[in-house]
Amino acid sequence: MSNKKITTTSGIEIKEVYTKASAPIEAPGEFPYTRGIQKDMYRGRLWTMRQYAGFSTAEESNKRYHYLLKQGTMGLSVAFDLPTQIGYDSDHEMSEGEVGKVGVAIDSLKDIEILFDGIELEKITTSMTINATASILLAMYIALAKKQGADISQISGTIQNDILKEYAARGTYIYPPKASMRIITDIFEYCSKEVPKWNTISISGYHIREAGSTAVQELAFTLANGKAYLNAALEKGLDINVFAKRLSFFFNCHNNFFEEIAKFRAARRMWAKITKDLGATDEKAQMLRFHTQTGGSTLTAQQPLNNVIRVTNQAMAAVLGGTQSLHTNGYDEALSLPTEAAAKIALRTQQVIAFESGVTDTVDPLAGSYFVESLTDEIEAAAHLYIDKIDAMGGSVNAIENGYIQNEIADAAYQYQVEVEQASRIIVGVNKFTQEKEGINDVFTIDESIRTIQTEKLNKLKAERDNQVVEKTLNDLANAAKSTDNLMPFILAAVEAYATLGEIADVMRNVFGEY
């Protein structure tokens, strides 16, 4: 036997041979759901193939959505530009140079009407990667559904709405943590009554991993944030058996194939126990449902076509791990937003796995593998050590405010970079098997004129709307923010009056302050 020590990316030592493991005792679809939340998994229904897209103006993004729907995508996933994410209209000085760059620019309900033109909201599910301004974008989506004549109790989708990971890893927050948690629990409460099929939060490990965490840290910090949201909702008096059913998760999937599969299996088991310990008795309130996106930070600008292989490897791990929906990255995303060609290959990757690989034919194909079962146990144990530390600090909000989570991620990111630079961690085409030049010529660029276009649209909107009604709705929202009233009906009223995203965010900035 070799004496060489091999570890996962989280530092868990991998034995040369596994000869025994704790066999899974429960069937798929049974507590604690290690083997999947459905008894028949993909035999009954495939995961949702949800391609993330959004850029430039609402008009341009709408064309891409129609293209993706024609190619067979099963749900839309909206990327918003940076000004939209942090509550600035396109004409704000802080928006300069960023309008339409990393996602679509949305300034008002008018833009949402254009974004979904020709798309019936009752017939699709939409995921929105939005956090600090999630309440405003959700209100715009509801307002559009009402204008389309949809029964809003039947519309379904997800808002990310996970502000804790923004403080820890990503940075697109606006308000202080306690005010942000109040907005989030207001959304929970409102949606449980008005939009019961909507997933009100997608608790995200994705960005924690993109910031440089290990797989174990991604799992631990995500579930610790999930506990914080559960506790906040319980303190508001909400029923865990109702609101926990509308929580979903968003995980990353990197290149270490078996570690990623074991991470997903451990996540389901841990969340089932966490919800049960907090009083959930309904099975659906104990189930961890999750979306997966392949690892953006694993994509390389060098030899970009290698990314097709990386994405396929990661997508297969997500499927074997039991994901409920999946986005596959374009091979060119280390260089630009994905071209149509790259987006199509990314979607075809999922379709080939679904219909040609055979991995969907049986539930939890790797169950009983000595290696996978042992690794699932070890990842769970390592993640619990982190969660116990965070609990001892008083939970995620405190752990973020004192910098613990941020420091742990930064240390892991630094260690990873050292390993790449020393070539103790091989990245094909980057520090091994390199060549002088292998690029791609066709990259997607955003025209700088987008800000001018959006500013003209804003000026026209403000000239045509009833500004007295807008002012009244904004004053009502300010008064509600100073009280304990649920903010969602007031945000919806402002949106329907065509108040802009920036105007609504500014009202709450004035009341809550900025962080």
Side-chain angles (χ1 to χ4, degrees):
M1 290 179 72
S2 166
N3 291 322
K4 185 179 179 185
K5 184 176 178 180
I6 298 175
T7 64
T8 70
T9 60
S10 300
I12 295 168
E13 186 171 356
I14 299 173
K15 299 172 193 171
E16 191 164 76
V17 176
Y18 287 79
T19 55
K20 60 179 178 179
S22 54
I25 52 170
E26 86 282 351
E30 290 182 5
F31 185 91
Y33 313 108
T34 312
R35 300 186 61 191
I37 58 170
Q38 283 105 15
K39 286 181 169 57
D40 58 357
M41 280 306 287
Y42 305 132
R43 287 170 69 109
R45 179 186 171 192
L46 289 173
W47 64 92
T48 301
M49 297 177 195
R50 188 185 293 288
Q51 287 304 109
Y52 186 50
F55 55 88
S56 183
T57 60
E59 289 87 347
E60 289 303 310
S61 291
N62 176 261
K63 289 177 194 169
R64 177 66 66 91
Y65 294 158
H66 280 286
Y67 171 79
L68 287 169
L69 289 165
K70 279 180 188 153
Q71 296 302 319
T73 197
M74 295 147 68
L76 297 176
S77 190
V78 185
F80 297 96
D81 74 354
L82 201 55
T84 303
Q85 292 181 48
I86 51 177
Y88 293 119
D89 289 334
S90 297
D91 60 357
H92 194 283
E93 61 183 13
M94 290 290 284
S95 301
E96 190 170 353
E98 293 294 341
V99 176
K101 287 288 176 69
V102 299
V104 62
I106 298 294
D107 291 318
S108 74
L109 176 58
K110 287 275 188 204
D111 285 324
I112 288 288
E113 290 167 4
I114 296 163
L115 186 67
F116 293 101
D117 184 40
I119 299 168
E120 290 182 58
L121 301 191
E122 235 177 321
K123 291 186 177 175
I124 58 157
T125 66
T126 302
S127 173
M128 296 192 272
T129 303
I130 197 73
N131 296 283
T133 53
S135 57
I136 305 170
L137 270 300
L138 175 60
M140 288 180 182
Y141 195 86
I142 292 168
L144 176 58
K146 286 167 70 176
K147 287 190 81 168
Q148 286 187 353
D151 177 354
I152 65 164
S153 70
Q154 297 303 308
I155 63 168
S156 62
T158 304
I159 40 171
Q160 193 162 95
N161 197 29
D162 175 6
I163 206 66
L164 292 179
K165 68 96 178 43
E166 295 295 329
Y167 299 116
R170 192 160 173 266
T172 64
Y173 47 77
I174 303 174
Y175 318 110
K178 288 185 174 59
S180 295
M181 292 295 275
R182 179 234 171 132
I183 296 168
I184 286 168
T185 53
D186 279 359
I187 293 170
F188 288 175
E189 183 179 54
Y190 176 84
C191 288
S192 69
K193 295 169 186 164
E194 303 293 333
V195 200
K197 290 189 173 181
W198 196 268
N199 297 321
T200 48
I201 192 166
S202 176
I203 303 158
S204 175
Y206 185 85
H207 303 99
I208 290 169
R209 192 68 175 282
E210 290 293 287
S213 80
T214 66
V216 164
Q217 288 173 338
E218 177 194 358
L219 175 58
F221 300 155
T222 305
L223 295 191
N225 288 348
K227 281 182 77 171
Y229 294 124
L230 288 176
N231 284 318
L234 288 167
E235 283 168 21
K236 197 176 174 73
L238 303 182
D239 181 351
I240 192 168
N241 284 317
V242 175
F243 75 81
K245 291 178 188 173
R246 304 287 16 127
L247 308 186
S248 66
F249 287 80
F250 174 24
F251 286 115
N252 211 314
C253 197
H254 276 219
N255 287 324
N256 194 306
F257 190 70
F258 291 105
E259 181 178 37
E260 295 301 314
I261 293 164
K263 177 187 78 179
F264 299 134
R265 297 171 94 250
R268 277 191 294 271
R269 191 156 74 198
M270 292 172 74
W271 187 246
K273 292 171 185 173
I274 287 167
T275 51
K276 190 175 185 181
D277 288 347
L278 287 172
T281 53
D282 189 309
E283 283 187 353
K284 284 196 164 56
Q286 299 168 345
M287 291 177 180
L288 181 144
R289 296 167 299 117
F290 69 100
H291 170 72
T292 309
Q293 182 173 339
T294 57
S297 62
T298 68
L299 302 175
T300 63
Q302 301 92 328
Q303 301 178 29
L305 288 174
N306 292 348
N307 295 327
V308 175
I309 301 141
R310 292 186 179 102
V311 168
T312 304
N313 179 56
Q314 294 163 10
M316 185 71 86
V319 169
L320 288 169
T323 193
Q324 274 62 65
S325 74
L326 179 61
H327 164 84
T328 31
N329 289 326
Y331 61 80
D332 55 0
E333 287 189 62
L335 298 162
S336 70
L337 290 169
T339 57
E340 270 194 8
K344 183 162 75 173
I345 285 289
L347 178 58
R348 293 289 182 260
T349 301
Q350 295 197 48
Q351 290 165 337
V352 169
I353 291 171
F355 298 106
E356 297 185 31
S357 71
V359 298
T360 60
D361 294 345
T362 187
V363 179
D364 196 15
L366 295 180
S369 155
Y370 295 152
F371 179 33
V372 170
E373 297 299 347
S374 293
L375 196 51
T376 302
D377 293 344
E378 288 181 84
I379 286 174
E380 180 179 11
H384 268 304
L385 292 176
Y386 275 114
I387 291 175
D388 290 345
K389 277 186 195 172
I390 291 166
D391 284 346
M393 294 174 194
S396 274
V397 176
N398 289 349
I400 288 165
E401 286 182 335
N402 71 28
Y404 170 72
I405 290 176
Q406 297 93 309
N407 290 337
E408 288 294 311
I409 296 169
D411 288 347
Y414 175 75
Q415 182 59 38
Y416 178 90
Q417 190 59 34
V418 167
E419 290 170 11
V420 171
E421 289 178 10
Q422 292 177 347
S424 60
R425 181 188 297 275
I426 301 301
I427 309 294
V428 174
V430 176
N431 61 8
K432 194 161 184 158
F433 314 113
T434 58
Q435 56 195 65
E436 277 302 302
K437 184 166 173 52
E438 185 195 324
I440 47 177
N441 298 320
D442 186 19
V443 294
F444 193 88
T445 54
I446 299 297
D447 194 317
E448 290 293 340
S449 67
I450 302 305
R451 185 166 185 247
T452 306
I453 293 167
Q454 287 299 112
T455 300
E456 288 169 359
K457 283 159 72 176
L458 277 165
N459 292 338
K460 186 169 186 280
L461 172 75
K462 289 174 182 177
E464 292 176 349
R465 69 188 185 181
D466 188 330
N467 285 299
Q468 282 186 311
V469 174
V470 171
E471 192 175 340
K472 181 184 183 303
T473 62
L474 294 175
N475 285 334
D476 290 346
L477 174 60
N479 291 331
K482 291 169 191 168
S483 73
T484 57
D485 290 347
N486 190 304
L487 297 176
M488 277 302 295
F490 298 94
I491 294 169
L492 182 60
V495 158
E496 290 181 323
Y498 291 97
T500 70
L501 174 121
E503 289 169 336
I504 295 167
D506 280 346
V507 166
M508 292 190 279
R509 274 190 185 93
N510 292 336
V511 175
F512 299 136
E514 287 189 89
Y515 188 65

